[in-house]
Each structure stands twice: as structure tokens, then as C-alpha cells.
Amino acid sequence: MISLNRVTRIFNSRDGDQVTALEDVSLSIRANEFITLVGPSGCGKSTTLKMINRLIEPTSGRIFLEGRDVTAEDPVQLRRRIGYVIQQIGLFPHQTVGENIATVPGLLGWPKAQRKPRATGLSGMWPEV
């Protein structure tokens, strides 16, 4: 389960102004539930995801993963535990969806026999390599 409790993120602009990317967002996502964040460019979708995996820290509020406050965890270990596929520029364009999903498990030393079913379950695809 992932829970956001009154999460706000404010950025400082180059000219010294403050820009609120998210304000007082609360939501809960149950285990095995899929959700979609929908909205126009700049509305905070990516910022929300980046705060869940600690690529960006919230200005205020709390984020919990399985009841544990993500800000109390090592960010690298947190990211390895929850998984995350970055959009566009963070993807390897020469790889398929399945290969991109399997990248981190491969770096962690998972055998291919373990990576393939995990990537297949998440993407529905796996390239024949």
C-alpha cells in the first residue's frame, strides 16, 4: 500500500519565486491496485511519482509505503524495493519495455530465469534474447 498524506511540494524558481507543484495531496493505493495519474503537462504527475521513490523530497506531508515512512528509508534501497520505470529520456531506447523493466534486477544479479517472469508480469512482454 502507498499512502500520501497531505503532501505538498514547492520549488524555488530561478528568479526567486516559489512555484507550488503539488498542494495538500492525499491518496491511498492498495496492494495490487493499478491507478493512473491523468492531467496536463506540469500538473504534478511526475513530481508525485518522484516523491514516492524519493527522487524529489516533499516540502511537507508524509508518504508511506507498506506503513513505513519513505523519508526514513535509504532512497536506493527504497527504489529497488518498489521498482520504477522512468518515462522517455530515462529509458534505454534500444531496449524493449521488458528489457527496460528487467534492467535493475539484472544489475542486482537476479538470474534471467527470475527476471523474465517478473518483467512479463509487469509489462506483458519479454523479448527473446
Side-chain angles (χ1 to χ4, degrees), residues 9-64:
R9 176 57 198 194
I10 300 171
F11 291 98
N12 293 316
S13 68
R14 291 183 185 152
D15 60 5
D17 292 335
Q18 291 191 325
V19 177
T20 302
L22 291 173
E23 185 173 15
D24 201 31
V25 173
S26 295
L27 67 95
S28 292
I29 306 163
R30 294 183 302 260
N32 300 314
E33 180 177 39
F34 284 84
I35 68 154
T36 304
L37 300 177
V38 178
S41 179
C43 76
K45 302 177 302 289
S46 293
T47 299
T48 300
L49 294 175
K50 289 178 181 179
M51 286 193 299
I52 292 169
N53 75 4
R54 294 196 59 201
L55 288 172
I56 298 174
E57 299 291 337
T59 303
S60 64
R62 311 254 322 252
I63 300 171
F64 298 92

Side-chain angles (χ1 to χ4, degrees), residues 60-75:
S60 64
R62 311 254 322 252
I63 300 171
F64 298 92
L65 176 64
E66 297 172 347
R68 295 170 25 198
D69 187 338
V70 299
T71 61
E73 295 195 37
D74 174 84

Side-chain angles (χ1 to χ4, degrees), residues 58-126:
T59 303
S60 64
R62 311 254 322 252
I63 300 171
F64 298 92
L65 176 64
E66 297 172 347
R68 295 170 25 198
D69 187 338
V70 299
T71 61
E73 295 195 37
D74 174 84
V76 173
Q77 294 302 317
L78 171 71
R79 290 179 203 125
R80 288 178 179 170
R81 197 177 89 198
I82 64 173
Y84 185 73
V85 177
I86 297 171
Q87 62 188 8
Q88 294 176 349
I89 197 164
L91 296 173
F92 296 113
H94 62 286
Q95 292 184 350
T96 66
V97 172
E99 288 171 321
N100 270 282
I101 289 171
T103 297
V104 171
L107 293 172
L108 294 174
W110 289 24
K112 186 175 179 180
Q114 187 179 2
R115 293 190 316 252
K116 184 175 179 176
R118 182 66 174 150
T120 301
L122 294 172
S123 71
M125 303 175 200
W126 181 261

